[in-house]
Each structure stands twice: as structure tokens, then as C-alpha cells.
Amino acid sequence: MKKQKLRRSGAKIMASLILLLGSLAYIMVLAVINGSIGFICAMSVTIFGAVGVAKALGESIALSYGWIIGLGVGCGVLRGLLRYLEQYSNHFIAFKLLAVLRDKIFGALRTLCPAKLESKQKGSIIAMITSDIETLEVFYAHTISPICIAVLVSTAVFLFVGFISSWYLALVAVVGYFMIGIIVPMISSKRLKESGVRYRAEFASFNAYFLDSIKGIKDIVLNNAGSKREQEVNRRSELLLKETKKMKHNTARAAASTELIVSLFIIATLILGIVLVHFEMLSIGKMIIGVVAVFGSFGPVIAISALPGNLTQTFASGDRVLNLLAEKPVVTEIKNGNNITYENLNVTDLSFSYDGNIQVLNDIQMHAQKGEIIGIVGKSGCGKSTFLKLLLRFWQKDKGEISYNGIDIENINSFSLLDNVTMVSQSTYLFDDTIENNLRIANPNATPEELESACKLASIHDFIMKLPDGYQSQVGALGDNLSAGEKQRIGLARAFLNGAELILLDEPTSNVDSINEGIILKALKEQKSKKSIILVSHRESTMALADRIYKVENGIMEEVKA
Ligand SMILES: Nc1ncnc2c1ncn2[C@@H]1O[C@H](COP(=O)(O)OP(=O)(O)OP(=O)(O)O)[C@@H](O)[C@H]1O
Ligand SMILES: [Mg+2]
């Protein structure tokens, strides 16, 4: 697994994540207050016990025994209530945040789409929506508030013990908090981090190998490679088990050292208390109150010591989510421009490169009129699909002009542009839904007759009617139940349904046999009076349809004889 370097420091990530909370911050504050007071209440139950003992030992205490018992019981009940409120606030935040964060990520994806998402791995986005956000939920609900609670409770106990009992005891307690909450986690975090990283790497690699094996099972069987593959799965499984054991071992060791240090500090406090009483620097009653308060106060710092293993993962997740939220879209939506009804297209001196280095298109000239069928030919990778994407403003042109009806594409409302121009791309995506609903995304209000006539034009109606459920047949996840040619023809039917004046077709017949190609070409020809078409294809038979043909070569586009 490639180690990803964080773009931001841990502190910056934490600060940015807290800022993301926005209006939810007050609930977080409520959770911290409830948690801190709740913990202090829990401690108070034993402290009131100690107060009772101190009173019995002759300490002058203003409260009666009845009050002491009453307050002790009251604190116990209050602890329950506050704990409930703390958990409620934390989980309220956690689930609310999951929704807010997902909304932010989807919002970011919407503005980045489609340009940036072409180059981003779809898998990493799915990982972000699922696991990264879950990790951040842990951060908000179970990381920030324990840290705040530990700081508040430790400060409160320090002051209480200092003022009521002895500043020496208070000082020992602070050293203890510092050791348990900061020093021990810092020492053990390095080892925990290393074994955590190795475990996750092993886990990811095992998963990837296993998934790959399942995906490729047909080829494994065909090549008689089953037993070899199984051996490798077993070997990786053993490795994963070894790393799991090591990680658990390290976690247990860290927890044990924390417990050991807590015990040592408890003993140290007790010895110091006895010494202070011995030298008459402290009454026995006050010593008991102080020592009992310190004994019960390590809970919140122990909770912090369990955090470092999570934090590295949290920072990585936070960094990825923040990167996505900070990413600038290549194109922004135009809302205050002009609306058009397609009449003509003029491209002058158009240049474009994806990365700023390799020039895909160079000073291109091209024009098209309403009712024309324009063909575009050229070798694979020469930039034909790129050109079509620029006509839809999926990417930002570097130089030159693309104008519809004499208006530059940068001044045309995005909605109006997509209303006038549509594209059937080289691969049509089908949703896991019925054929009808897959067609309807192009025009939700289409009548059944319109659906049927679009499918007839795209030469797919007969195929659909042969399916047991006709237009209601499910296409399966990723359109798995359909062949490449069938998918392509559904894409074409969508374009006919869409109602756009100008249709961009990227290899519309590449996966279709010659009979169906003939039918589609005939349909396109018939559409000519109503629609304008820009057609990319390798096939000469398809190009025969074009009124004029442009050829793309070495970034240059020239009109050639039809
Ligand atoms: N999103 C992208 N980011 C960076 N480079 C890209 C991207 N999409 C395409 N390219 C590159 O731009 C060049 C032109 O690609 P394009 O898809 O336009 O070619 P094409 O002419 O449509 O090819 P084909 O006939 O194989 O479909 C190729 O070298 C391709 O690798
Ligand atoms: Mg292409």
C-alpha cells in the first residue's frame, strides 16, 4: 500500500474539522459540559463518602451526616442523568454530522463533476463516502469530547484537592495526568502506529487479492490455477493473522502500561498523604478527602491514552475529505448568461490540454449549421472525444472560441447548453433499474409512445419487446444483463428522447453489427430534418452519412472531402 503524505498538520486538520461543525458546535459544548459534570458527580459519590469518614474522624465539616448521604445519593442519580445527556448529545452530533458531511461531499462532487471525476478513481470516492466519514464520526463523537472532558475534570480536581486538602497532593495528581494522558500515549503511539499501519496494509492487500480472485474466477478455472491461488490466499491470510496478533499484543501492552502507571500514582498519592499526616502538615480527614479525590480522577485521562491509534487514521481521513472539499472545480455553472435555441456552431482557434503540457487540440477551426451531419475521424487517442466534451463545456477550453448562435460558450447558461446539446458517449451508463426508468432520465415526462418511437429509432425496441418484462425489465447493476451493443443503443434512444437540437455521437455504432448499424444510420438520416448531428466514428460506412467530414491529426483538425 502506498503511504499517503498528509497535506496538512494534525493540528490544522483538527482545527478545520472543528470549524466544519458549524452550527452543531453548541451541542458539542453541551456534550463536554454534561460529560465533565457527570464525571465529577460520579467522583463526588466517593468523595462524599470520604467527607463522612473525615467528619467521623473529628474534622470540622459544616454538613450534617444526613446532608452528606443525601448529596452523595443525589450525585449518583445526577451522574446517570448527565451520562445519558452526554451520550445523547454525542450521538446526535455523530449522526447529524454523518448527514452533513455526506451532503458536503456530494455538493463538492456535484461542482467537480464531470471533469475532475474522470481522473479520480471512483473507488476512492466510494471509500471516502463510506469509511472516511465513519472515521470522522468517531473523531467528533469519541475524540474531541474526551480530550476536553479530561482537561476540564483534571483542572477541577487539581483545584479541589489543592484548596480543600493539599497542594502537594494536587501536584502529584497533575504529574500523573500528564504522564498518563500525554507521555505514555506518546511513547506507545509510535509502536501502535507502526503495527496499525502494517495491519491495515495487510488487511487491504488481502481484501484486494481475494476480491481480484473472485472477479477473475473464470480465468483462474480456465487456466487451472485454482490450487496455486488458494495457496496464496492462505499465505496472505496467515500474514494478516500475524499482524492482527501483533497489533492486539501492542494494544494490550499499551493498556497494561497505562494501568500500571495509574496504580503507581495512586500508591504515590497515598504514601505522600501518609507522610504529610505524619509530619502534621495535613489532618487525617483532609488527607482522606484529597487522596480519594485523586484516586477516582484518572478515568478521563485513561480515555485519552486509548486514542492515539485512532488519531493517525482520523487525520488521514480528515485530510482526504478536506482535500476534496477544497478542490476547485474545472468548470463552474453559468446561471446569469444567455439562453439559446441551437442554430449554428462556430469553433475558432480552439486549443486544449488536460494537464497543461501535452497539447491535445491545437488552434482548431470548425463550423456546423442546423440540419447538418458533421463527421469527425482520426486515430485512437487523437482527441475526438475530448473535442465533444469541450462542446458540452465538461472541461474548460484553454484558448479560442466555441460559440453557439454567435454567443461564446462561456456566456451561455449551463442549463440551456445541455438543453440544446446532448451526447451519446463511448460507454453508456445504465442504472440498476428498469429499462423504462433508464430511458426516462433523458425525459421524465415522455409518453409511452415517445419512449417506443425513440427506441425504434435506436433499433432497440424489438430487443426490449422480446424480454419477459419488456420495458419493465431490470437491467441489473452496471447494466450487466445487457450486451455492449444493447447498452449503446439505449444510450442512443436516450439522445432521441432528450429533445436536444444538436446530438453529439461518439462512436454510436462501434458495438453494433452491420444490420443494426444500417437501421441506426437510416434513423439518423431521417432525423436530419429535425436534428443536427456531430458524429465521431472510425467506420467508413458510418461516415458515408456525413455532409462534411473533419479529420483530427496531431492536434490539428481539418476538413476533408466527404
Ligand atoms: N481525463 C483525462 N485526463 C487526462 N488525459 C486524458 C483524459 N481523457 C483523455 N485523455 C487523453 O487525451 C488524449 C485524447 O483522448 P480522447 O479520448 O479525446 O481520444 P479519442 O480520439 O476519443 O480516442 P478513441 O478513438 O480511442 O476514443 C488521449 O491521449 C488520452 O489519453
Ligand atoms: Mg474517444
Side-chain angles (χ1 to χ4, degrees), residues 94-355:
F95 290 112
K96 191 92 182 170
L97 262 173
L98 281 183
V100 170
L101 280 175
R102 286 209 174 102
D103 188 56
K104 277 188 197 290
I105 289 188
F106 284 129
L109 292 180
R110 256 198 302 278
T111 56
L112 294 177
C113 194
K116 281 272 169 84
L117 299 193
E118 267 188 19
S119 31
K120 279 229 154 48
Q121 282 184 337
K122 291 190 182 80
S124 72
I125 288 171
I126 291 171
M128 188 175 291
I129 295 169
T130 53
S131 64
D132 280 348
I133 292 185
E134 298 280 339
T135 314
L136 290 188
E137 184 258 337
V138 173
F139 169 72
Y140 287 112
H142 308 289
T143 308
I144 308 186
S145 62
I147 292 177
C148 296
I149 291 173
V151 172
L152 285 179
V153 170
S154 305
T155 313
V157 174
F158 170 72
L159 294 175
F160 173 79
V161 174
F163 280 114
I164 298 288
S165 176
S166 150
W167 287 104
Y168 293 113
L169 288 179
L171 216 62
V172 174
V174 166
V175 175
Y177 302 147
F178 195 68
M179 285 289 291
I180 296 155
I182 298 175
I183 305 289
V184 175
M186 268 168 66
I187 295 170
S188 54
S189 86
K190 193 168 173 286
R191 193 180 298 133
L192 277 177
K193 207 157 98 183
E194 279 168 9
S195 61
V197 166
R198 275 202 308 273
Y199 165 77
R200 277 194 298 281
E202 219 44 73
F203 185 71
S205 120
F206 177 81
N207 269 358
Y209 190 81
F210 198 75
L211 211 67
D212 201 30
S213 306
I214 290 177
K215 277 193 207 149
I217 195 127
K218 189 185 82 198
D219 294 83
I220 293 174
V221 173
L222 285 177
N223 290 296
N224 210 359
S227 58
K228 204 156 167 252
R229 201 83 187 174
E230 188 190 346
Q231 271 170 19
E232 180 63 14
V233 167
N234 285 339
R235 192 186 69 81
R236 286 173 187 240
S237 170
E238 289 296 329
L239 266 179
L240 178 60
L241 187 67
K242 217 170 87 191
E243 288 304 335
T244 314
K245 276 187 184 156
K246 262 194 217 156
M247 191 188 60
K248 296 271 177 215
H249 179 78
N250 283 337
T251 315
R253 229 163 80 165
S257 359
T258 304
E259 292 293 331
L260 180 70
I261 308 252
V262 170
S263 307
L264 289 179
F265 270 93
I266 285 179
I267 294 169
T269 314
L270 188 61
I271 293 173
L272 180 65
I274 293 168
V275 170
L276 290 174
V277 171
H278 179 76
F279 289 106
E280 293 181 355
M281 293 167 79
L282 193 62
S283 71
I284 190 155
K286 284 185 174 170
M287 183 275 269
I288 290 175
I289 296 176
V291 167
V292 166
V294 174
F295 280 9
S297 66
F298 290 106
V301 276
I302 294 176
I304 301 191
S305 74
L307 293 178
N310 294 337
L311 274 186
T312 28
Q313 223 173 336
T314 307
F315 287 160
S317 295
D319 204 42
R320 277 193 292 268
V321 170
L322 292 170
N323 282 348
L324 184 81
L325 294 181
E327 197 149 348
K328 293 262 177 301
V330 176
V331 282
T332 48
E333 192 178 349
I334 297 170
K335 284 181 179 158
N336 302 318
N338 299 291
N339 289 332
I340 55 160
T341 306
Y342 176 74
E343 287 295 332
N344 58 60
L345 164 68
N346 267 298
V347 177
T348 36
D349 305 328
L350 173 68
S351 297
F352 178 76
S353 108
Y354 282 104
D355 54 5

Side-chain angles (χ1 to χ4, degrees), residues 446-478:
T447 61
E449 293 73 35
E450 284 170 331
L451 285 182
E452 201 177 305
S453 94
C455 288
K456 279 184 179 152
L457 285 176
S459 183
I460 187 76
H461 174 72
D462 290 344
F463 163 78
I464 297 173
M465 290 318 285
K466 272 189 216 137
L467 296 171
D469 295 323
Y471 279 81
Q472 298 310 319
S473 308
Q474 291 284 337
V475 297
L478 308 174

